[in-house]
Amino acid sequence: MAADADESQYFVREIETNDGCVLRVKQCYLGDVGCVVWDAAIVLAKYLETEQFQDPSSGLNVWSGSTVLELGAGTGAVGLMAATLGAQVTVTDLEDLQTLLKVNIQDNKALISSGSITAKVLKWGEDVSEFLPPPRYVLMADCIYYEQSIVPLVETLKLLCGPETCIICCYEQRTEGVNPEVERRFFELLQQNFSCERIPSDKQDPEFSSPDIHILHIRRKAQ
């Protein structure tokens, strides 16, 4: 019965990949923001499969062998997609989320062949030396919502990212409460060191996109 009781705390979100495989991502009934697959994570995961990154007809696959670090990974859905595409992925979040991340990695490892994925603790604003040299890509889905985390998040991006790093940030624009001010503050701080390029909807997955979910490519400004 113990195993059943443990399973009962999860419910599954399925994400179909372009080649017909299905990522099965467990979410928690109990817990805080990290325990569900937010819509922005689905939009970002499906964006990784678009033809600018991966085109089987031409053999293009920028993910193959690329180092990828996901911040605020939560359930790990985005990092799992990158790993199935061949990337060498590290998914990071707070200590509380490590069990869920590891469960989802274990449940989906059969879909990962040339790629890899590991889960590690990373608290924004703290030491990032174990994640260096800078990854080729940093992925972030819905990380801009919590006022107290804005300064440490930007600090972590500054510490992690080299001149070649591309941050792909996907977030749902929220108009209620403090959310607009938090977004404004984040981009104000970010743009001191980074430039942002908004990705138009026609470059996103045609089915998994939304007018209020934005994707940005963010790079360090030349010093």
Side-chain angles (χ1 to χ4, degrees):
M1 286 299 293
D4 291 341
D6 190 54
E7 285 296 306
S8 71
Q9 69 181 305
Y10 298 123
F11 58 110
V12 174
R13 179 80 178 257
E14 294 188 344
I15 307 169
E16 189 169 342
T17 66
N18 285 352
D19 60 6
C21 294
V22 177
L23 287 167
R24 292 175 53 81
V25 182
K26 284 181 174 162
Q27 310 172 92
C28 283
Y29 286 111
L30 307 169
D32 198 11
V33 290
C35 298
V36 298
V37 180
W38 295 94
D39 289 344
I42 305 284
V43 169
L44 180 52
K46 295 300 290 181
Y47 175 64
L48 303 185
E49 291 191 295
T50 56
E51 61 184 17
Q52 63 197 298
F53 297 113
Q54 197 220 14
D55 184 1
S57 63
S58 69
L60 171 76
N61 183 357
V62 304
W63 301 114
S64 182
S66 287
T67 52
V68 171
L69 184 114
E70 186 182 2
L71 293 176
T75 62
V78 178
L80 283 164
M81 177 67 88
T84 67
L85 295 169
Q88 311 302 308
V89 180
T90 305
V91 286
T92 69
D93 213 313
L94 299 175
E95 186 69 54
D96 298 0
L97 275 297
Q98 295 300 306
T99 299
L100 184 60
L101 281 170
K102 286 168 181 167
V103 164
N104 282 328
I105 289 170
Q106 181 65 26
D107 286 357
N108 291 281
K109 67 178 185 182
L111 302 181
I112 299 166
S113 51
S114 61
S116 67
I117 184 166
T118 56
K120 291 188 176 180
V121 175
L122 174 54
K123 188 174 181 184
W124 300 340
E126 295 191 355
D127 181 42
V128 300
S129 55
E130 73 168 301
F131 302 99
L132 299 175
R136 179 68 186 85
Y137 292 93
V138 171
L139 305 177
M140 297 166 46
D142 252 351
C143 289
I144 315 162
Y145 58 85
Y146 185 50
E147 200 166 4
Q148 285 84 347
S149 69
I150 293 304
V151 170
L153 174 55
V154 172
E155 189 59 32
T156 291
L157 292 173
K158 283 157 58 178
L159 293 169
L160 270 178
C161 297
E164 304 301 316
T165 304
C166 177
I167 303 162
I168 307 179
C169 171
C170 184
Y171 70 100
E172 185 169 353
Q173 191 160 21
R174 297 177 172 89
T175 55
E176 68 277 3
V178 299
N179 287 299
E181 177 58 23
V182 170
E183 277 172 31
R184 186 195 67 75
R185 179 80 180 118
F186 172 75
F187 287 111
E188 183 183 81
L189 263 181
L190 188 76
Q191 285 167 348
Q192 293 173 13
N193 297 92
F194 294 87
S195 56
C196 302
E197 174 198 356
R198 189 173 291 255
I199 304 304
S201 57
D202 62 2
K203 294 271 204 240
Q204 300 176 34
D205 184 280
E207 186 181 347
F208 295 93
S209 60
S210 166
D212 57 353
I213 295 179
H214 306 294
I215 299 177
L216 302 174
H217 285 193
I218 301 167
R219 290 182 171 86
R220 257 195 186 284
K221 290 178 178 174
Q223 295 302 311

